């Protein structure tokens, strides 16, 4: 079966009417019919010189509200029909009264629906008919003996018509503005939902890629040494257990945000303060990591702290998976207003190829760039001229505050880090 876009008519493919237009507006039309009947009957008592209403007059009074039933689905028909009915009413010599209300409502509906030419034409045509009847055709039309009308009231009639058009245009502009604002809100909500899905995908990728890489390496070690060195195989299994437990905890933390959107996380997000733990896991996977720090250490904003941790984590994961080197160097440089990261390994690429792993079908490099770009930073990853691979990242720190000692005094790094003060 052919599928049509949502919000389109299933046969014509045209835009379907909004829900509030799907039903006939019979309540408002009925109320307007009652108002016109009662008001016209009252006006007839004060205009004895006009033709009495009778059955035809009452039918014309009710015909306008009846046509308004189609004002949402067929606004052009409604406005032109009510103008014609009103013109017939005036030509028959019936009393002046609230019979014009139907035309006013039809004009509002037509202009709001974009049928502006039809609305203006209906008003201009009715005004022209009124001029002809009041000043030239009155001698041939009822009531008998009716004389020409004065010209000065025509200015009031013209002003009334202009006011109806202006008010209709104002309603149309306001409705279009509300529709734009509603569309912008919906687009913003969709954009936020897409960004949240992308954030969760990045988190899951980084957590699982790192942990599964460690588990894969340790499983290989355990299998290789199971018979020759059971103690070393036990150590590998212990590492697998710890890595899988940590991965499950972080995955659970990410999924908790789906179960309770907007709720505060139960545990803090990882940051640079867990770098020693990260290098320890890499060391368990057979990768010796050296960490160096330059500059005065600052307290990082939460977003930058998490991004820095994930970028280093992903870079080390790629070294484990795609590099033949068993050493890596991590450099943290606290520059004014920014944190600069560098992860180097000496290569060469493993059998599957580092470059292919970094630029192929995986999402690691794209995820690092997206994390940095979300903070206004950059990530560059490329082979080094002397072999190996390098990942450079720069993360702006808009709200960083200096902690610890004054500039020029080296801070105490976490265990396992080496410190090199910037010149």
């Amino acid at each position: 079966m052919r599928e049509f876009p949502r919000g389109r008519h299933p046969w014509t493919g045209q835009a379907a009417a909004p829900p509030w237009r799907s039903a006939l507006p019979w309540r408002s039309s009925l109320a307007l019919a009652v108002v016109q009947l009662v008001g016209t009957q009252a006006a007839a008592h004060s205009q004895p010189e006009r033709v009495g209403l009778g059955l035809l007059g009452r039918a014309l009074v009710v015909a306008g509200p009846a046509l308004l039933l189609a004002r949402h689905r067929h606004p052009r028909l409604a406005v032109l029909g009510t103008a014609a009915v009103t013109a017939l009413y005036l030509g028959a010599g019936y009393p002046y009264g609230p019979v014009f209300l139907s035309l006013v409502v039809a004009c509002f509906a037509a202009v709001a629906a974009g049928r502006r030419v039809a609305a203006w034409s209906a008003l201009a045509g009715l005004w022209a008919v009124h001029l002809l009847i009041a000043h030239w055709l009155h001698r041939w039309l009822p009531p008998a003996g009716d004389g020409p009308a004065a010209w000065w009231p025509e200015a009031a009639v013209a002003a009334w018509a202009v006011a109806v058009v202006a008010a209709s245009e104002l309603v149309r502009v306001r409705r279009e503005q509300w529709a734009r604002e509603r569309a912008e809100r919906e687009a913003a909500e969709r954009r936020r939902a897409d960004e949240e899905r992308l954030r969760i995908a990045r988190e899951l990728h980084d957590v699982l890629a790192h942990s599964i890489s460690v588990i894969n390496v340790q499983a290989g070690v355990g299998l290789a040494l199971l018979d020759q060195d059971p103690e070393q195989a036990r150590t590998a299994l212990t590492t697998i257990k710890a890595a899988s437990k940590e991965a499950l905890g972080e995955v659970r933390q990410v999924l908790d945000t789906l179960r309770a959107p907007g709720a505060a996380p139960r545990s803090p997000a990882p940051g640079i303060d867990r770098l020693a733990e990260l290098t320890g896991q890499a060391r368990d996977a057979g990768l010796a990591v050296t960490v160096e720090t330059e500059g005065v250490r600052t307290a990082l904003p939460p977003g930058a702290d998490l991004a820095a941790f994930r970028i280093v984590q992903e870079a080390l994961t790629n070294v484990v998976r795609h590099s033949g080197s068993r050493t890596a160097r991590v450099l943290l440089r606290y520059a004014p207003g920014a944190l600069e990261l560098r992860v180097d390994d000496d290569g060469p690429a493993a059998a599957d190829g580092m470059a292919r792993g970094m630029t192929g079908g995986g999402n690691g490099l794209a995820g690092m760039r997206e994390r940095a770009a979300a903070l206004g930073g950059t990530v560059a990853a490329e082979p080094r001229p002397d072999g190996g691979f390098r990942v450079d990242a720069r993360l702006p720190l808009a709200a960083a505050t200096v902690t610890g000692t004054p500039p020029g005094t080296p801070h105490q790094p976490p265990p396992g880090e080496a410190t090199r003060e910037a010149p």
Side-chain angles (χ1 to χ4, degrees):
M1 180 180 293
R2 182 182 177 186
E3 294 290 338
F4 287 90
R6 189 175 181 181
R8 297 281 176 176
H9 194 280
W11 296 330
T12 64
Q14 298 177 351
W20 57 272
R21 292 186 179 179
S22 58
L24 293 177
W26 62 269
R27 290 188 179 88
S28 58
S29 300
L30 179 60
L32 189 60
V34 172
V35 169
Q36 288 192 177
L37 275 175
V38 174
T40 305
Q41 191 67 43
H45 290 294
S46 60
Q47 302 175 47
E49 71 280 2
R50 305 295 294 177
V51 176
L53 278 178
L55 184 60
L56 178 59
R58 289 182 173 84
L60 290 174
V61 170
V62 175
L67 287 168
L68 291 180
L69 291 171
R71 68 181 184 270
H72 291 330
R73 296 181 176 177
H74 306 285
R76 184 186 290 109
L77 172 64
V79 70
L80 295 177
T82 52
V85 167
T86 306
L88 289 175
Y89 179 90
L90 295 177
Y94 293 118
Y96 293 101
V99 69
F100 300 98
L101 291 178
S102 295
L103 181 60
V104 172
V105 174
C107 281
F108 271 82
V111 172
R115 304 295 190 268
R116 303 163 69 187
V117 174
W120 299 343
S121 300
L123 279 175
L126 182 62
W127 186 46
V129 170
H130 168 72
L131 287 176
L132 288 174
I133 293 173
H135 297 281
W136 291 286
L137 301 180
H138 59 86
R139 65 191 69 178
W140 296 289
L141 297 174
D146 190 19
W151 281 99
W152 65 265
E154 300 304 332
V157 175
W160 173 83
V162 171
V164 170
V165 171
S168 302
E169 291 291 342
L170 179 61
V171 170
R172 179 187 63 82
V173 170
R174 289 297 299 165
R175 283 188 175 179
E176 290 179 352
Q177 181 179 357
W178 292 335
R180 283 195 303 270
E181 292 174 353
R182 183 169 60 250
E184 290 172 358
R185 285 195 300 269
E186 292 174 353
E189 291 173 0
R190 288 193 299 270
R191 187 166 55 251
R192 284 193 295 269
D194 292 340
E195 291 171 353
E196 182 65 11
R197 284 194 294 269
L198 181 60
R199 184 192 69 82
I200 292 173
R202 281 198 304 261
E203 289 293 320
L204 290 176
H205 172 272
D206 292 346
V207 170
L208 295 177
H210 175 75
S211 300
I212 291 176
S213 295
V214 173
I215 291 172
N216 181 61
V217 171
Q218 292 300 319
V221 171
L223 287 173
L225 301 177
L226 185 61
D227 296 328
Q228 297 142 346
D229 192 348
E231 191 59 34
Q232 187 66 28
R234 183 186 300 274
T235 302
L237 292 175
T238 303
T239 303
I240 290 174
K241 180 180 179 181
S244 60
K245 180 180 179 181
E246 180 185 359
L248 287 173
E250 292 200 31
V251 169
R252 187 179 298 112
Q253 180 182 353
V254 173
L255 295 181
D256 281 344
T257 62
L258 295 178
R259 299 190 183 99
R266 299 181 181 179
S267 58
I272 287 298
D273 57 342
R274 289 181 54 184
L275 195 54
E277 178 184 339
L278 183 61
T279 57
Q281 293 175 355
R283 191 176 300 111
D284 292 337
L287 182 67
V289 182
T290 302
V291 179
E292 298 179 354
T293 303
E294 293 183 359
V296 179
R297 189 164 188 170
T298 60
L300 304 179
D305 202 15
L306 175 61
F309 179 85
R310 293 302 189 198
I311 288 173
V312 174
Q313 182 185 52
E314 180 62 28
L316 293 179
T317 300
N318 281 314
V319 175
V320 172
R321 295 173 59 189
H322 306 299
S323 175
S325 174
R326 294 297 88 195
T327 61
R329 296 180 299 280
V330 178
L331 173 63
L332 306 179
R333 181 182 294 113
Y334 291 88
L339 173 65
E340 298 175 357
L341 305 170
R342 174 174 292 176
V343 181
D344 281 292
D345 74 277
D346 296 329
D352 59 349
M354 180 193 304
R356 178 166 52 84
M358 290 290 287
T359 61
N363 298 312
L365 181 55
M368 287 192 285
R369 286 173 173 163
E370 288 168 358
R371 286 185 183 278
L375 301 172
T378 58
V379 169
E382 57 186 1
R384 295 187 337 210
D386 57 346
F389 208 85
R390 170 172 292 172
V391 175
D392 270 316
R394 189 177 191 279
L395 305 177
L397 307 179
T401 56
V402 176
T403 60
T405 54
T409 305
H411 74 283
Q412 294 297 323
E417 285 193 20
T419 303
R420 183 174 69 221
E421 189 68 13

